[in-house]
């Protein structure tokens, strides 16, 4: 968490045009944090004796970990840390909330011990991570475009790659995450229909998840068929991210996905 805190501080300093103070250390710091995070997840699993994805705090930690993994996958490909201004604060908050909220829990349903539930969770969260990165790239695109149109030289223009590169990162992250999101929904649907029957389709969490998938698909479709790029694609990706936040909040009202206390 302390290592991720360096990333958070870097993002805040960057907004204040002082990002150069941590530019050389932020990459190794968050990379080290990712390694420690993996060790923590494995250690927690060993101590508890099973994968505790039914705990909301453990799930937040997994989501933060996968978001950082996806970030580094694209960092290796594009050698730009610019989407980190969105990803770093998000990962820090998720990890912080998870770290201070861990509590012993008991799995009350045999379904939650199924390996398929683990597959469902990892696939869905990887899809989330791709969507988070796409949203981060989209917000950077909008900021950079506005700066270029106003012809004002800002600190952002010094470290953000060209608009074409940002747009490509947003698109590629969608392509990366969509198959995971789709397979995760299929795996979860098959398990839930078997256990809950028709009740499954009326659950707010499920309805929100399919709405998010539809917007996800719309993002890709408009790219392929209508050539939507740039601002329109950025706004739609941001909208999809807001829906994803709503879907996560729906866990509090879901009968199928309610986390155990």
């Amino acid at each position: 968490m302390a290592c991720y805190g360096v990333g958070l501080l870097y993002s805040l300093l960057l907004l204040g045009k002082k990002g150069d103070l941590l530019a050389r250390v932020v990459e190794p710091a968050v990379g080290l944090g990712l390694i420690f995070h993996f060790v923590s997840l494995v250690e927690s699993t060993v101590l508890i004796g099973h994968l505790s994805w039914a705990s909301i705090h453990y799930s937040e930690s997994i989501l933060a970990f996968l978001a950082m993994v996806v970030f580094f996958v694209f960092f290796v490909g594009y050698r730009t840390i610019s989407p980190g201004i969105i990803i770093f604060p998000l990962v820090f908050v998720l990890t912080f909330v998870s770290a201070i909220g861990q509590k012993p829990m008991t799995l009350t349903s045999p379904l939650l011990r199924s390996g398929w539930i683990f597959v469902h969770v990892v696939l869905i969260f990887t899809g989330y991570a791709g969507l988070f990165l796409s949203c981060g790239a989209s917000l950077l695109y909008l900021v950079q475009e506005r700066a270029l149109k106003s012809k004002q030289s800002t600190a952002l223009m010094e470290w953000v790659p060209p608009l074409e590169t940002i747009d490509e990162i947003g698109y590629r992250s969608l392509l990366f995450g969509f198959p995971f999101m789709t397979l995760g929904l299929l795996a979860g649907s098959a398990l839930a229909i078997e256990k809950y029957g028709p009740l499954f389709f009326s659950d707010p969490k499920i309805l929100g998840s399919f709405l998010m998938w539809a917007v996800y698909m719309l993002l890709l479709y408009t790219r392929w068929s209508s050539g939507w790029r740039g601002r329109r694609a950025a706004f739609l990706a941001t909208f999809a991210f807001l829906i994803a936040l709503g879907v996560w909040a729906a866990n509090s009202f879901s009968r199928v996905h309610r986390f155990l206390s």
Side-chain angles (χ1 to χ4, degrees), residues 2 9 14 37 45 47 54 68 77 129 133 136 168 207 210 234 242 251:
L9 184 59
L14 203 57
H37 197 166
T45 300
L47 288 173
M68 191 60 78
L133 184 61
E168 184 177 351
L207 294 175
F210 280 106
L242 294 177
N251 285 315

Side-chain angles (χ1 to χ4, degrees), residues 98-181:
S98 173
I100 66 174
Q102 292 287 4
K103 297 178 181 179
M105 46 80 64
T106 303
L107 295 175
T108 59
S109 170
L111 180 65
L112 295 175
R113 298 180 182 271
S114 169
W116 283 106
I117 291 293
F118 174 70
V119 172
H120 162 67
V121 169
V122 171
L123 289 174
I124 286 289
F125 282 4
T126 304
Y128 268 118
L131 187 59
F132 290 164
L133 184 61
S134 178
C135 178
S138 298
L139 292 176
L140 288 176
Y141 184 97
L142 295 174
V143 172
Q144 182 78 322
E145 182 189 47
R146 182 177 181 180
L148 291 173
K149 286 185 176 180
S150 64
K151 297 181 180 180
Q152 296 179 354
S153 179
T154 64
L156 288 176
M157 296 182 67
E158 299 177 1
W159 62 273
V160 174
L163 288 178
E164 183 178 354
T165 302
I166 302 175
D167 186 61
E168 184 177 351
I169 292 175
Y171 174 56
R172 296 291 180 183
S173 58
L174 286 176
L175 285 179
F176 176 86
F178 184 72
F180 290 99
M181 180 71 71

Side-chain angles (χ1 to χ4, degrees), residues 56 63 120 124-125 128 131-132 181 185 203-215 239-254 257-259:
I56 189 170
L63 180 57
H120 162 67
I124 286 289
F125 282 4
Y128 268 118
L131 187 59
F132 290 164
M181 180 71 71
L185 282 175
D203 189 87
K205 166 75 174 184
I206 305 303
L207 294 175
S209 296
F210 280 106
L211 174 62
M212 180 178 61
W213 181 89
V215 175
F239 177 64
F241 175 74
L242 294 177
I243 293 178
L245 294 180
V247 171
W248 184 261
N251 285 315
S252 301
F253 311 100
S254 172
H257 280 80
R258 187 181 297 276
F259 286 103

Side-chain angles (χ1 to χ4, degrees), residues 34-67:
L34 183 64
I35 295 174
F36 286 148
H37 197 166
F38 175 75
V39 173
S40 173
L41 289 173
V42 173
E43 211 173 37
S44 176
T45 300
V46 171
L47 288 173
I48 297 174
H50 49 69
L51 291 164
S52 53
W53 49 82
S55 162
I56 189 170
H57 303 300
Y58 193 86
S59 297
E60 288 165 345
S61 185
I62 292 177
L63 180 57
F65 174 77
L66 291 175

